[in-house]
Amino acid sequence: AGPSRVSVTYPHLPEPTVPPTKPDLNALAKTDPTTYARLCFAAESFAAERAPAVLQPADAVSIVYPLIGVSDVERLAVVALSARNRVIDAEVLTVGSHGYTVVDPRQILRWALTRKRPVAGIVVAHNHPSGDPTPSSQDNDVTRRLRRACEVVGITLVDHVVVTADVRVWSRVDA
């Protein structure tokens, strides 16, 4: 059996007959900010429940590969995760050259800490245009530094993956 669904009803809210338009929501925000806030919270919660989860390296790769996989220069992407490892956001943070990209733990954590929703964990990923997913000594050093920095601010470094254009993958979790 799958996860149980919880149905939440708000008896004081009228049942909509047609989907509200943007001007209707703007008017609601001005006339009834409490109801507007509840609707926004419900919409965000609904979307969060349906976001993909990162439970293994393959899940992370499916999120980051479209962002960084096929590139002739190194790119670094970060995936922000909720406490249930559901994706909150994913973004390419740096673009480098054929052999390296700048990885600054401060930049990664600043990005994670400024998401709209609380971030419990992150996955860091970068590509190797060379086609060899084996991490360099710099990759290993950055992973150690980033893990320590994450611990200081209470964010879990869930994984650091290296991908290639032909979808060969190295994962810190698998190492």
Side-chain angles (χ1 to χ4, degrees):
S4 63
R5 301 267 183 212
V6 176
S7 176
V8 178
T9 58
Y10 296 97
H12 59 285
L13 295 179
E15 288 293 320
T17 54
V18 295
T21 63
K22 185 94 170 157
D24 293 340
L25 290 176
N26 289 337
L28 182 62
K30 292 175 185 172
T31 59
D32 189 354
T34 302
T35 301
Y36 178 76
R38 286 184 179 141
L39 285 173
C40 289
F41 178 76
E44 286 180 16
S45 297
F46 181 78
E49 288 178 18
R50 280 151 180 74
V54 176
L55 304 175
Q56 58 189 355
D59 299 330
V61 171
S62 71
I63 303 296
V64 300
Y65 188 82
L67 300 172
I68 64 172
V70 181
S71 177
D72 57 352
V73 295
E74 281 202 17
R75 296 172 181 264
L76 174 97
V78 182
V79 181
L81 302 172
S82 70
R84 294 185 177 182
N85 283 1
R86 298 234 177 241
V87 175
I88 294 171
D89 199 358
E91 187 174 332
V92 174
L93 291 190
T94 65
V95 178
S97 69
H98 180 72
Y100 73 95
T101 189
V102 175
V103 181
D104 181 5
R106 290 174 299 181
Q107 180 184 8
I108 293 169
L109 289 174
R110 184 179 310 116
W111 178 86
L113 292 168
T114 57
R115 300 302 90 202
K116 285 177 98 175
R117 295 185 37 230
V119 174
I122 60 171
V123 172
V124 176
H126 73 279
N127 64 318
H128 278 182
S130 67
D132 180 4
T134 306
S136 66
S137 60
Q138 293 90 349
D139 293 340
N140 291 325
D141 181 53
V142 163
T143 301
R144 281 189 294 274
R145 288 180 26 235
L146 184 56
R147 185 176 304 280
R148 285 193 306 265
C150 284
E151 288 171 358
V152 169
V153 296
I155 291 178
T156 303
L157 177 59
V158 174
D159 203 351
H160 179 178
V161 297
V162 178
V163 299
T164 64
D166 59 353
V167 199
R168 290 190 295 150
V169 177
W170 173 86
S171 165
R172 189 92 197 138
V173 169
D174 291 340

